[in-house]
Amino acid sequence: MKQTDLEKLLADMSLKEKVDQMLQLSGAFYLGDENSVLTGPANDMGIGKEDLEMAGSILGAAGADTMKKLQDDYMAKQPHHIPMLFMMDVIHGMKTIFPAPLAQGATFDPELSGECASAAAKEASAAGLHVTFSPMVDLVRDARWGRVVESTGEDPYLNSRFSEAIVKGFQGDDLKTPGKVASCIKHFAGYGGAVAGRDYNTVELSEHTFREFYLPAYKAGIDAGAAMVMTSFNTINGVPASTNKWLMRDILRGEMGFDGVLISDFAAILETVAHRSSKDAADAAKKALEAGVDIDMMTSVYAANLCRLVEEGEVDEHLIDECCLRILELKNKLGLFENPYKDADAEKEKAYNLCPEHRALAKKAAEESFVLLKNDGVLPLDTAKKIAFVGPYTNNHEIKSSWSFTGDSKDCVTIQEAAEKVFDASRTTYAEGCPVIGNDVELIGFTETTPKKYSEEELAAMEQSALQAAKEADLVVMPMGEHYLQSGEATSRAMIDVPEIQMELFRKVLAVNPNVVVVLFNGRPLDLREISAKAKAILEVWFPGTEGGSAVVDVLTGKKNPSGHLPMSFPYCVGQAPVSYNEYSTGRPNLPGMKERFRSKYLDIPNAPLYPFGYGLSYTTFAVSDVVLDQNEMDKNGRIAAKVTVKNTGDAAGCEVVQLYIRDDYSDVVRPVKELKGFRKVELAPGEEQEVTFYITEEDLRYYRLDGTFGSEPGTFTVMIGNSSTTENSAVFTLK
Ligand code: GLC
């Protein structure tokens, strides 16, 4: 439809029609018995039959035939037969589930994540979906926060590269393209900074920190063309994001130039009443509208109040026109006025879901996401040895992570299922050993199946057979870790330990066999002090998705050399959280070797995390040469080439992630001790070497200066290039 026709349509719509375009309801309201809904949950919410029929969008329903029928039924009821938008959380896969986003961050391969998003978009669009609420690009530093699993980590530069790649993977260059869906960047903004890592908690950030660290990845996704943005639950400067005019009008739409659709998070507008910053629902509606929030997700705040507020002169109808037009424009960009079904196609849905190509991609992404944290030489496994797999993730299908409800765990490949195809059955045993969590761990309010409770006898029998297997083996592989319900939304943990029941098993296995390799399943950095001290090797596999087990076996046996690097620091213990590599120096830095008292440090633990950002081992070794600069100074229009030579000094082919960090040696506003400004994955055969060159320009040196402007300052800068954020392999240049 032409823009002029859209504007004509808008002009012809009643106020109620326009307001209802700004309403999003759950698919459950449309797929069940309408009367029970209208007398039940809809009625409780103040949603009437007219709202149900005229709602502009639906979340959480999918299925080609289902969505085509739903579109037919409700377009027929629409006075102007406006097609509905169908949205869903396709975060890291639809039916084929790719590794959790935090795992994808560990690949340091944004393009690969773009491919995963593209595959997810094919499956989602064939299922009749138009929009996905992904990627989540919240910067995270606190392992207590359960939603770190949905992010790509602690670094603004890395998160920005993933943000743009995933948006392009979902959207392509034209939303009408078959197999593409609109991408919704979330949660705007700063949600990952929740105080004490407690979900939905207050966010207290200086504007400087907010702009320097938390905003860049949202901007990168918007610059990549994200069609939608979702508000966050938290406050910024004491104002909830969904009613925060400064955040939404000045920053999002003004500075960042976002002109797409802004949707609230689930009930987030109404929740400003609970924040006690809105007097009542009507006040919340007024404030959110004035902040420019276009769609109210799953409440009647807009639908039940905006018409009256216009009629009473409380709000200008043109604000509603603006919102409604943006929603119509998104429908138009998706081609829904010409083809309301877009790509819904039951045959394609069947053909794409879990197809070999998508499974192969899921396995590749999983393999590249694994981080070898420790290896005293016991990996890759010698498959001629007797090996016991002992642990609750030995044959566990629940490896999809949170936000993967569209997928089915039974489609996941477990470690045992994959190992049985590779390991000699006469020399390999498998035992669960214990459940993922003990009977003492309560996961309250979860709609998913709550974990089975075991009797003392059952637990004793599981343990006994596991210890017997461990005793008879040359080496024990222990697939263990968090329960998948212990990470994701509303799963903050004050203790970031591997569940105690598993640590008890770990200790008992060690008592009968010191050769233990831990394969760790988790959605957040955990306190790994004991495992790190006692295991011979640790392979971090996060929640690897549909092909997780086959990827783990390929890496354990050396068919695939691990190349993942940490996108988020693993704290020494929870008392160190939040922790990140790009901290400020402070006036009393506690430098290595210092023995003084009055330094910025703890009495009882080191400042350094147990495993730092950017860290990851390989089955081979790499040498990185000194940094060579092609010149030692440049002006604002110049660029400096910083080069190293990377050599595979081991006897296995492998891939190294070469990372470029820059330190501003002096600035009017304190700057991080170093910042990631580039990375490159380099595949090398044994003995092979390759030059890696990074080009540094003045743009890489910009920051929010004392006067609040974004720019650089003349001075010296230290360039560091290595394979982890701890590198001090450096050279210095001057910006004139
Ligand atoms: C949830 C989440 C958000 C998700 C939305 C819709 O509360 O915060 O990430 O997209 O609701 O399911």
Side-chain angles (χ1 to χ4, degrees):
M1 194 187 271
K2 290 199 303 292
Q3 188 67 17
T4 48
D5 294 336
L6 278 183
E7 286 157 9
K8 279 191 201 128
L9 168 60
L10 179 72
D12 199 42
M13 289 165 72
S14 70
L15 177 57
K16 180 62 180 164
E17 269 190 282
K18 291 185 283 191
V19 166
D20 274 345
Q21 282 295 310
M22 300 161 70
L23 167 64
Q24 177 171 96
L25 294 173
S26 162
F29 281 42
Y30 296 85
L31 300 178
D33 161 11
E34 194 169 274
N35 293 327
S36 67
V37 166
L38 282 170
T39 54
N43 184 53
D44 298 345
M45 273 173 58
I47 294 290
K49 184 168 173 28
E50 190 187 31
D51 299 320
L52 208 65
E53 292 175 355
M54 295 214 292
S57 60
I58 285 178
L59 85 153
D65 293 338
T66 302
M67 303 317 281
K68 286 162 87 168
K69 180 171 185 324
L70 207 158
Q71 191 72 291
D72 285 344
D73 291 352
Y74 283 88
M75 278 180 71
K77 295 172 181 177
Q78 284 264 348
H80 286 87
H81 312 297
I82 298 170
M84 283 181 147
L85 275 170
F86 299 137
M87 307 190 188
M88 186 178 264
D89 295 282
V90 181
I91 309 300
H92 51 106
M94 181 78 188
K95 283 296 178 195
T96 309
I97 303 300
F98 298 98
L102 190 59
Q104 293 190 34
T107 67
F108 274 71
D109 191 345
E111 286 65 38
L112 179 56
S113 286
E115 290 173 45
C116 295
S118 184
K122 271 181 78 173
E123 294 185 8
S125 59
L129 292 173
H130 308 139
V131 178
T132 177
F133 297 130
S134 182
M136 184 267 224
V137 296
D138 303 318
L139 181 123
V140 295
R141 292 174 162 174
D142 196 323
R144 292 171 291 183
W145 194 50
R147 301 197 77 168
V148 302
V149 70
E150 300 171 53
S151 79
T152 50
E154 71 188 50
D155 181 76
Y157 179 84
L158 184 67
N159 290 348
S160 298
R161 304 295 73 79
F162 276 99
S163 176
E164 58 202 19
I166 293 169
V167 166
K168 290 194 180 304
F170 280 128
Q171 297 194 162
D173 297 324
D174 177 351
L175 291 179
K176 293 188 182 70
T177 308
K180 293 302 177 187
V181 293
S183 167
C184 178
I185 291 280
K186 68 186 185 182
H187 307 80
F188 199 77
Y191 183 27
V195 168
R198 200 180 78 218
D199 207 352
Y200 314 125
N201 201 4
T202 304
V203 167
E204 278 303 336
L205 295 169
S206 68
E207 182 174 340
H208 181 82
T209 298
F210 185 53
R211 288 180 176 277
E212 279 277 328
F213 295 97
Y214 287 81
L215 286 183
Y218 302 111
K219 180 157 187 340
I222 288 159
D223 291 348
M228 285 184 66
V229 168
M230 182 186 292
T231 68
S232 57
F233 290 118
N234 57 283
T235 55
I236 285 290
N237 297 338
V239 180
S242 301
T243 55
N244 192 318
K245 280 179 78 171
W246 169 74
L247 182 60
M248 300 304 177
R249 294 263 186 211
D250 298 351
I251 290 189
L252 178 63
R253 295 202 188 274
E255 292 179 21
M256 295 189 177
F258 178 66
D259 60 2
V261 172
L262 177 61
I263 188 170
S264 78
D265 200 341
F266 202 103
I269 297 174
L270 180 59
E271 288 178 4
T272 59
V273 178
H275 277 284
R276 297 196 297 111
S277 61
S278 294
K279 200 166 47 284
D280 52 27
D283 187 35
K286 179 174 188 300
K287 285 173 175 168
L289 179 69
E290 288 170 351
V293 180
D294 300 313
I295 298 177
D296 167 26
M297 184 191 289
M298 260 308 273
T299 79
S300 62
V301 163
Y302 274 3
N305 292 287
L306 286 182
C307 291
R308 180 173 46 74
L309 287 169
V310 169
E311 282 140 18
E312 291 171 358
E314 287 290 313
V315 298
D316 290 342
E317 186 166 354
H318 86 270
L319 290 179
I320 290 168
D321 290 347
E322 278 177 7
C323 296
C324 186
L325 184 57
R326 283 191 285 258
I327 295 165
L328 296 177
E329 285 169 345
L330 176 55
K331 296 183 178 187
N332 201 35
K333 284 176 192 161
L334 285 156
L336 297 183
F337 287 101
E338 291 75 29
N339 172 12
Y341 301 156
K342 195 171 183 305
D343 307 330
D345 182 320
E347 287 311 306
K348 286 194 177 129
E349 193 179 2
K350 211 172 342 186
Y352 294 157
N353 288 347
L354 296 160
C355 64
E357 297 77 16
H358 290 180
R359 276 190 176 270
L361 182 61
K363 181 177 176 185
K364 178 175 191 286
E367 288 168 344
E368 291 206 20
S369 73
F370 297 166
V371 183
L372 184 60
L373 296 177
K374 179 182 179 185
N375 183 22
D376 73 353
V378 71
L379 291 179
L381 293 175
D382 174 354
T383 50
K385 290 189 172 177
K386 282 192 72 174
I387 292 171
F389 286 87
V390 171
Y393 276 100
T394 297
N395 200 30
N396 191 330
H397 286 89
E398 293 298 352
I399 54 176
K400 301 192 281 103
S401 183
S402 71
W403 292 112
S404 60
F405 54 81
T406 51
D408 193 329
S409 300
K410 71 171 175 40
D411 295 324
C412 291
V413 178
T414 70
I415 290 177
Q416 181 169 343
E417 287 165 349
E420 284 171 343
K421 294 176 182 163
V422 173
F423 290 83
D424 184 321
S426 66
R427 294 197 298 273
T428 312
T429 53
Y430 305 90
E432 188 178 4
C434 72
V436 176
I437 51 177
N439 292 339
D440 57 315
V441 178
E442 286 298 323
L443 295 172
I444 297 159
F446 286 78
T447 51
E448 294 87 345
T449 48
T450 44
K452 177 176 184 296
K453 300 289 186 191
Y454 290 82
S455 69
E456 286 311 313
E457 295 71 23
E458 286 174 318
L459 294 172
M462 287 167 83
E463 182 180 283
Q464 188 49 42
S465 63
L467 293 179
Q468 189 57 35
K471 200 180 299 180
E472 291 165 1
D474 297 319
L475 179 137
V476 185
V477 175
M478 294 196 74
M480 56 198 285
E482 281 187 313
H483 195 282
Y484 78 97
L485 292 178
Q486 287 182 298
S487 69
E489 185 170 356
T491 64
S492 295
R493 295 177 68 200
M495 268 73 81
I496 54 173
D497 307 315
V498 172
E500 186 53 22
I501 193 167
Q502 295 182 54
M503 292 308 292
E504 286 169 6
L505 178 69
F506 173 67
R507 297 176 194 114
K508 289 177 180 173
V509 166
L510 278 166
V512 301
N513 193 326
N515 301 315
V516 170
V517 170
V518 168
V519 177
L520 194 66
F521 290 79
N522 48 308
R524 59 160 51 80
L526 297 175
D527 178 341
L528 297 181
R529 281 175 293 166
E530 183 176 356
I531 288 177
S532 179
K534 296 178 180 175
K536 294 275 192 285
I538 307 169
L539 182 67
E540 169 62 72
V541 301
W542 315 101
F543 282 110
T546 303
E547 285 293 331
S550 47
V552 168
V553 167
D554 277 6
V555 169
L556 286 177
T557 56
K559 187 176 175 187
K560 176 75 181 174
N561 189 347
S563 61
H565 285 248
L566 292 181
M568 188 176 178
S569 307
F570 274 53
Y572 184 84
C573 63
V574 71
Q576 208 178 59
V579 63
S580 63
Y581 83 93
N582 46 12
E583 61 179 6
Y584 297 141
S585 168
T586 78
R588 295 189 176 189
N590 188 47
L591 302 176
M594 277 188 169
K595 297 293 181 199
E596 301 157 43
R597 172 181 169 193
F598 298 101
R599 309 304 299 177
S600 178
K601 67 182 192 317
Y602 302 95
L603 288 179
D604 50 356
I605 65 169
N607 286 9
L610 190 66
Y611 295 111
F613 175 84
Y615 170 85
L617 299 177
S618 170
Y619 291 154
T620 186
T621 51
F622 297 95
V624 180
S625 73
D626 291 348
V627 178
V628 176
L629 303 180
D630 68 345
Q631 50 195 313
N632 291 320
E633 63 178 34
M634 70 171 176
D635 62 23
K636 281 193 173 241
N637 303 314
R639 79 171 188 177
I640 284 184
K643 182 173 65 179
V644 294
T645 300
V646 187
K647 181 170 185 176
N648 182 337
T649 50
D651 52 13
C655 182
E656 182 58 292
V657 177
V658 184
Q659 301 153 49
L660 165 75
Y661 295 89
I662 296 181
R663 174 187 302 142
D664 189 339
D665 294 333
Y666 162 75
S667 48
D668 289 342
V669 177
V670 295
R671 313 278 341 273
V673 292
K674 59 181 75 174
E675 295 175 280
L676 182 73
K677 291 293 182 184
F679 55 87
R680 198 84 47 79
K681 293 190 82 162
V682 182
E683 188 93 41
L684 295 172
E688 185 184 2
E689 61 182 43
Q690 183 179 319
E691 279 188 2
V692 178
T693 303
F694 295 100
Y695 293 98
I696 299 164
T697 66
E698 179 267 339
E699 273 186 40
D700 297 315
L701 313 176
R702 294 179 186 169
Y703 73 108
Y704 285 91
R705 295 174 296 195
L706 199 56
D707 63 2
T709 59
F710 187 66
S712 61
E713 283 167 341
T716 64
F717 293 82
T718 301
V719 178
M720 291 155 278
I721 301 178
N723 59 8
S724 155
S725 60
T726 58
T727 182
E728 290 297 332
N729 181 32
S730 65
V732 178
F733 72 88
T734 300
L735 174 69
K736 286 186 292 187

